[in-house]
């Protein structure tokens, strides 16, 4: 099964090339961004230029922070409705784009904060345009939105076909301004998505060309982008891999590899991609017996051994930077086991397996 209802324009001047399609969504857009990156990356100016030419009015909502909260989504919803907007443009990393998706659904279905995860109430949407400025989440090609309930510190995603962006304008040049740490963490998020396309019990051979190529692009270009942040070719490779990762999980969804990191992010503020990265090796070891043939194929495609891959990961020197107490592990295992992504593991993962991975981080 293959389904991707998003029109994706990829490459140089993608925003300008999106001109004709942007015109179809209405006359007033809510621009959903964080405080600085939309402007710093150059994406906001490009969008404002095109909107100006099309005489589309822009209302700014720039309050989205990392790991966006349900409250932020409701604030954006109020602004969208108060201004009678017609559509949304999310510009930034996964946080603003996921927020734009959620605002679209809460506004279109008149949902309150406690109904944001209530998929049965999603009947319609407002169109969302995604302009990514990180190369990581692939959210420009997914039906997912990942939000945090500030009150319970619980981070969780929802997935619904109505949350696919209508249009994604993906230009790698917007990632040239990313600092090294965000470049690393976001690339590792993409790598997780691609590997999860192999781990997931919804794995699908149609995706393997994207998965193998995407992993190779990251493996060959991540160090280049870290050492030479302005090297557009390396940025292009990472952006492409991120998009492949998004297309992958839009079909296979994510697994324990993602679930285990959510509480590390919501409680300790470990950036999302880093939270994936610090458990990448133990998760691969856990899954290896179940997906051995496919992982072996991947490594022969990359012309490296699994041990070489682990050395490459070690070289990235990822660490949570916090010591994780046993009480946290006890408290969070039930939340991890209950998370939506756990339905996709290649076999049933036990509480003991999760405990042993988290204990290795302490
Ligand atoms: P992010 O949280 O959107 O942004 C992280 C930081 O990077 C922010 O400080 C942001 O600044 C900055 N930034 C973004 N683009 C930049 C640029 N071009 N130059 C300089 N700084 C820039 O990061 P993200 O990793 O892309 O998104 C993570 C979120 O997406 C998590 O909540 C994760 O769970 C979610 N996610 C969603 C999916 C999905 O399919 N929906 C998949 C995986 C992950 P500003 O605050 O100024 O914008
Ligand atoms: Fe992710």
């Amino acid at each position: 099964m293959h389904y991707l209802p998003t029109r994706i324009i990829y490459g140089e001047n993608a925003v300008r090339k999106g001109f004709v399609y942007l015109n179809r969504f209405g006359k007033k857009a809510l621009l959903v961004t964080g405080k600085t990156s939309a402007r710093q990356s150059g994406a906001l100016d490009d969008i404002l230029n095109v909107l100006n030419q099309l005489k589309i009015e822009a209302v700014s909502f720039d309050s989205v922070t990392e790991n966006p909260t349900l409250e932020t989504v409701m604030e954006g919803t109020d602004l969208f409705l108060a201004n009678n907007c017609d559509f949304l443009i999310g510009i930034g990393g996964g946080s603003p784009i996921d927020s734009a998706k959620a605002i679209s659904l809460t506004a279109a279905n008149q949902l309150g904060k406690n109904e944001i995860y209530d998929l049965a109430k999603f009947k319609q949407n407002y169109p969302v345009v995604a302009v990514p400025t990180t190369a990581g989440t692939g959210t420009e090609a997914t039906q997912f939105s990942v939000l945090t309930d500030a009150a319970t510190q619980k981070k969780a995603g929802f997935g619904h076909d109505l949350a696919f962006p209508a249009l994604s304008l993906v230009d790698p040049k917007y990632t040239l301004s990313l600092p090294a740490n965000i470049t690393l963490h976001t690339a590792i998020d993409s790598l997780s998505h691609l590997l999860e396309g192999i781990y997931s019990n919804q794995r699908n051979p149609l995706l393997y060309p994207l998965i193998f190529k995407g992993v190779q692009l990251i493996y060959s270009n991540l160090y280049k982008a870290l050492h030479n942040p302005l090297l557009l070719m390396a940025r292009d490779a990472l952006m492409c891999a991120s998009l492949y990762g998004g297309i992958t999980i839009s079909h296979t969804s994510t697994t324990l590899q993602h679930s285990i990191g959510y509480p590390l992010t919501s409680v300790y503020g470990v950036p999302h991609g880093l939270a994936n990265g610090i458990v990448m090796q133990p998760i691969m070891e856990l899954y290896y017996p179940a997906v051995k043939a496919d992982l072996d194929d991947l490594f022969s495609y990359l012309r490296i051994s699994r041990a070489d891959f682990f050395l490459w990961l070690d070289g990235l020197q990822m660490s949570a930077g916090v010591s994780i107490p046993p009480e946290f592990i006890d408290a969070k295992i039930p939340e991890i086991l209950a998370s939506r992504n756990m339905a996709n593991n290649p076999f049933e993962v036990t509480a003991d397996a999760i405990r042993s991975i988290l204990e290795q981080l302490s």
Side-chain angles (χ1 to χ4, degrees):
M1 203 263 291
H2 222 52
Y3 179 65
L4 181 61
T6 303
R7 186 186 302 277
I8 300 170
I9 301 182
Y10 182 88
E12 207 182 342
N13 298 325
V15 166
R16 219 174 315 138
K17 290 177 188 150
F19 189 88
V20 51
Y21 302 106
L22 274 167
N23 210 13
R24 297 179 180 176
F25 301 129
K27 281 289 152 209
K28 206 190 248 193
L30 185 74
L31 303 192
V32 183
T33 69
K35 279 285 176 265
T36 55
S37 73
R39 192 165 293 283
Q40 191 190 355
S41 63
L44 180 62
D45 281 348
D46 287 353
I47 283 286
L48 288 174
N49 274 336
V50 171
L51 295 185
N52 199 18
Q53 284 171 41
L54 292 168
K55 302 205 175 356
I56 295 174
E57 215 181 309
V59 177
S60 169
F61 177 58
D62 67 358
S63 310
V64 180
T65 54
E66 281 181 56
N67 307 304
T69 61
L70 305 181
E71 287 74 12
T72 299
V73 169
M74 293 318 297
E75 227 183 284
T77 305
D78 291 345
L79 194 64
F80 183 95
L81 293 172
N83 284 281
N84 290 314
C85 293
D86 301 308
F87 68 108
L88 303 100
I89 307 180
I91 309 173
S95 298
I97 297 174
D98 283 4
S99 302
K101 291 175 174 183
I103 295 168
S104 150
L105 288 158
T106 45
N109 300 289
Q110 281 115 38
L111 304 181
K113 193 183 121 189
N114 298 327
E115 298 167 302
I116 294 182
Y117 292 103
D118 197 346
L119 303 188
K121 296 196 169 141
F122 294 4
K123 304 288 182 209
Q124 51 200 343
N125 63 3
Y126 287 105
V128 170
V129 178
V131 186
T133 64
T134 60
T137 70
T139 184
E140 66 274 12
T142 78
Q143 69 281 47
F144 305 122
S145 168
V146 187
L147 305 168
T148 299
D149 186 339
T152 58
Q153 285 192 314
K154 188 170 168 200
K155 181 170 167 113
F158 68 77
H160 194 284
D161 282 354
L162 288 171
F164 274 111
L167 175 67
S168 287
L169 305 172
V170 188
D171 188 333
K173 75 168 177 265
Y174 299 142
T175 63
L176 290 170
S177 57
L178 283 170
N181 61 337
I182 304 179
T183 301
L184 170 63
H185 300 157
T186 47
I188 295 297
D189 188 24
S190 308
L191 182 59
S192 306
H193 300 155
L194 292 160
L195 292 172
E196 285 171 282
I198 295 176
Y199 303 153
S200 168
N201 59 19
Q202 298 182 63
R203 76 186 73 85
N204 172 347
L206 279 177
L207 298 166
Y208 276 41
L210 294 185
I211 294 174
F212 284 24
K213 182 70 187 175
V215 175
Q216 185 189 55
L217 288 171
I218 295 170
Y219 180 74
S220 319
N221 289 282
L222 178 52
Y223 278 96
K224 289 183 195 160
L226 291 172
H227 291 133
N228 187 354
L230 297 180
L231 188 65
L232 187 58
M233 268 174 56
R235 295 296 191 180
D236 186 280
L238 296 181
M239 193 60 135
C240 198
S242 169
L243 184 54
Y244 290 172
I247 294 171
T248 298
I249 58 168
S250 74
H251 293 86
T252 65
S253 201
T254 54
T255 64
L256 172 69
Q257 161 77 68
H258 262 67
S259 304
I260 201 169
Y262 286 161
L264 296 171
T265 301
S266 58
V267 177
Y268 296 110
V270 180
H272 172 67
L274 179 61
N276 288 330
I278 55 180
V279 295
M280 188 166 271
Q281 178 163 347
I283 297 274
M284 189 181 283
E285 279 162 353
L286 173 72
Y287 288 156
Y288 184 68
V291 290
K292 180 176 182 313
D294 291 352
L295 280 179
D296 288 348
D297 276 354
L298 169 68
F299 290 117
S300 70
Y301 177 87
L302 296 174
R303 297 170 193 269
I304 58 168
S305 64
R306 206 154 47 95
D308 288 340
F309 178 76
F310 289 149
L311 281 175
W312 176 84
L313 270 182
D314 285 346
L316 295 168
Q317 298 185 321
M318 290 183 278
S319 142
V322 285
S323 75
I324 292 159
E327 307 80 73
F328 170 87
I329 299 179
D330 291 338
K332 291 298 172 183
I333 284 179
E335 185 180 309
I336 295 169
L337 280 170
S339 108
R340 195 179 57 89
N341 317 351
M342 293 295 281
N344 311 309
N345 293 318
F347 49 81
E348 195 160 330
V349 173
T350 62
D352 283 347
I354 298 172
R355 178 181 300 281
S356 103
I357 293 172
L358 288 173
E359 280 172 354
Q360 290 175 42
L361 300 177
S362 330

